[in-house]
Amino acid sequence: MSTIPTNPITKTARKKITTLALRQKKDNGEPITMLTGYDYPTALALDQAGIDAILVGDSLGMVVLGYENTLPVTMEDMLHHCKAVARGAKTALLIGDMPFMSYQASTEEAVRNAGRFLQTGGMDAIKLEGGRERLEAVRAIIGAGIPVMGHLGLTPQSVHKLGGFRPQGRSAISAERLLEDAILLDQAGCFSLVLESVPAKLAEMVSKRIAMPTIGIGAGGGCDGQVLVTHDLLGLFDRFTPKFVRKYANLHSEMEDAFKAFIKDVENHTFPAKEHTVEMPEEEWNALVEHLDHKGQTGG
Ligand code: KIV
């Protein structure tokens, strides 16, 4: 049996997507697609759908683990989910998101933790948040041979510094700072850059001024690619839906309907039905009943 993944539309084998392939897409003017994934079945479906990149985002802290923000997520949480995704997706570029305090305290710790994403987590690259203040870590990680995706704009690990989950780069001063940070990350050798919740005009300008591809989330159509949190796109996360999300399904309510139907069927004795039941050969059953009867009479 072949293990080479095929494109479900064309039935042709798809080649593993590399960081270089993303760069080529930008150069050819082809949009890049990225979605988050946190588990094996979702990774499998994303891969079979033909997504370019899967980000095992620390957003899993909110949409899978139920935290208020991404700050409590640990390296162990991330590696656990990365391994599951790597078992499911064989074609998409796999990017592991470095969690809060896994790269901020020291450059050495940043390199070691980045390495764990590739060595233990099965990822192809890592993502981390921040601009000029992270340059030393970014350079050292790339120096160790690990591809780095940057992340500017609304950087959720700085939620308290930013005063909440709010758009960034809306003043001339902050927009210029963001552009400078993007150029610095590009020059440092990052292979791609997430721009989150920034004005569309600014994201387009940044995308044109740097060589690496930008992947936008709430950053308009001028980026080189788009990413969404899969649980938002599927309507699986019930707490809130950011303005920039397009919901392609409503799985939370579909799940609730399915669970209610199961409860009703069990309560009405309509599940399990005959087709869900294991049968026993008649003669074996009769033998059992006879044997038990005999045991009851003889006390043996
Ligand atoms: O953690 C995440 O899912 C992200 C995306 C929103 C880009 O960083």
Side-chain angles (χ1 to χ4, degrees), residues 38-40 56 60 65 74-87 117 120-121:
Y38 316 108
D39 58 42
Y40 170 80
V56 185
L60 70 84
L65 303 178
T74 64
M75 274 299 296
E76 275 55 46
D77 292 333
M78 291 307 301
L79 292 175
H80 176 75
H81 288 272
C82 285
K83 286 190 246 180
V85 167
R87 285 191 284 266
F117 275 92
T120 313

Side-chain angles (χ1 to χ4, degrees), residues 34-38 55-60 63 70 78 97 127 129 149 151 154 156-157 194-196 215-217 227-230 232 244:
M34 181 163 92
L35 284 168
T36 63
Y38 316 108
L55 171 69
V56 185
D58 65 349
S59 51
L60 70 84
V63 302
T70 59
M78 291 307 301
D97 208 2
K127 175 171 88 57
E129 299 180 5
M149 173 180 264
H151 185 159
L154 169 51
Q157 289 174 18
V194 167
L195 291 175
E196 179 166 354
I215 317 271
I217 174 163
V227 56
L228 282 177
V229 169
T230 289
D232 289 336
F244 50 74

Side-chain angles (χ1 to χ4, degrees), residues 85-108:
V85 167
R87 285 191 284 266
K90 303 295 174 206
T91 303
L93 179 73
L94 303 181
I95 303 151
D97 208 2
M98 296 195 70
F100 181 56
M101 289 319 292
S102 68
Y103 56 97
Q104 290 91 340
S106 79
T107 299
E108 193 183 321

Side-chain angles (χ1 to χ4, degrees), residues 23-294:
R23 178 64 168 265
Q24 277 161 0
K25 278 198 136 189
K26 172 172 180 144
D27 295 344
N28 296 338
E30 295 170 48
I32 296 163
T33 57
M34 181 163 92
L35 284 168
T36 63
Y38 316 108
D39 58 42
Y40 170 80
T42 312
L44 200 62
L46 285 166
D47 218 35
Q48 287 170 347
I51 202 82
D52 289 323
I54 300 176
L55 171 69
V56 185
D58 65 349
S59 51
L60 70 84
M62 296 173 76
V63 302
V64 177
L65 303 178
Y67 294 126
E68 283 298 310
N69 54 46
T70 59
L71 302 186
V73 178
T74 64
M75 274 299 296
E76 275 55 46
D77 292 333
M78 291 307 301
L79 292 175
H80 176 75
H81 288 272
C82 285
K83 286 190 246 180
V85 167
R87 285 191 284 266
K90 303 295 174 206
T91 303
L93 179 73
L94 303 181
I95 303 151
D97 208 2
M98 296 195 70
F100 181 56
M101 289 319 292
S102 68
Y103 56 97
Q104 290 91 340
S106 79
T107 299
E108 193 183 321
E109 216 177 343
V111 176
R112 279 200 200 291
N113 282 325
R116 292 177 73 198
F117 275 92
L118 274 66
Q119 207 164 39
T120 313
M123 298 288 103
D124 305 312
I126 63 98
K127 175 171 88 57
L128 53 76
E129 299 180 5
R132 64 199 71 193
E133 69 284 8
R134 298 287 157 247
L135 269 189
E136 195 183 312
V138 166
R139 286 199 190 102
I141 294 169
I142 296 171
I146 301 165
V148 176
M149 173 180 264
H151 185 159
L152 296 173
L154 169 51
T155 45
Q157 289 174 18
S158 306
V159 59
H160 297 309
K161 186 173 141 198
L162 301 177
F165 294 107
R166 54 180 67 243
Q168 300 296 309
R170 296 179 71 212
S171 69
I173 290 178
S174 64
E176 187 184 14
R177 190 177 163 87
L178 189 145
L179 174 63
E180 286 169 1
D181 281 345
I183 291 169
L184 287 170
L185 291 172
D186 197 29
Q187 288 168 347
C190 286
F191 75 90
S192 180
L193 175 65
V194 167
L195 291 175
E196 179 166 354
S197 210
V198 300
K201 277 184 199 164
L202 174 63
E204 188 173 352
M205 178 195 269
V206 170
S207 305
K208 285 186 176 144
R209 291 201 185 187
I210 59 176
M212 65 174 157
T214 58
I215 317 271
I217 174 163
C223 293
D224 303 304
Q226 296 293 325
V227 56
L228 282 177
V229 169
T230 289
H231 283 49
D232 289 336
L233 170 156
L234 293 177
L236 254 178
F237 183 58
D238 67 321
R239 283 217 310 262
F240 61 86
T241 306
K243 171 177 154 25
F244 50 74
V245 168
R246 179 176 287 171
K247 265 194 191 182
Y248 290 83
N250 213 333
L251 291 197
H252 182 82
S253 70
E254 274 198 47
M255 276 167 65
E256 202 176 309
D257 289 348
F259 300 149
K260 280 182 181 157
F262 168 79
I263 292 166
K264 193 166 148 228
D265 285 354
V266 171
E267 287 175 353
N268 292 341
H269 302 279
T270 57
F271 178 83
K274 195 166 168 44
E275 65 270 25
H276 309 117
T277 311
V278 176
E279 297 294 349
M280 186 171 175
E282 198 64 19
E283 63 274 18
E284 291 298 324
W285 177 251
N286 291 339
L288 172 71
V289 172
E290 216 172 283
H291 171 69
L292 293 178
D293 277 354
H294 180 71

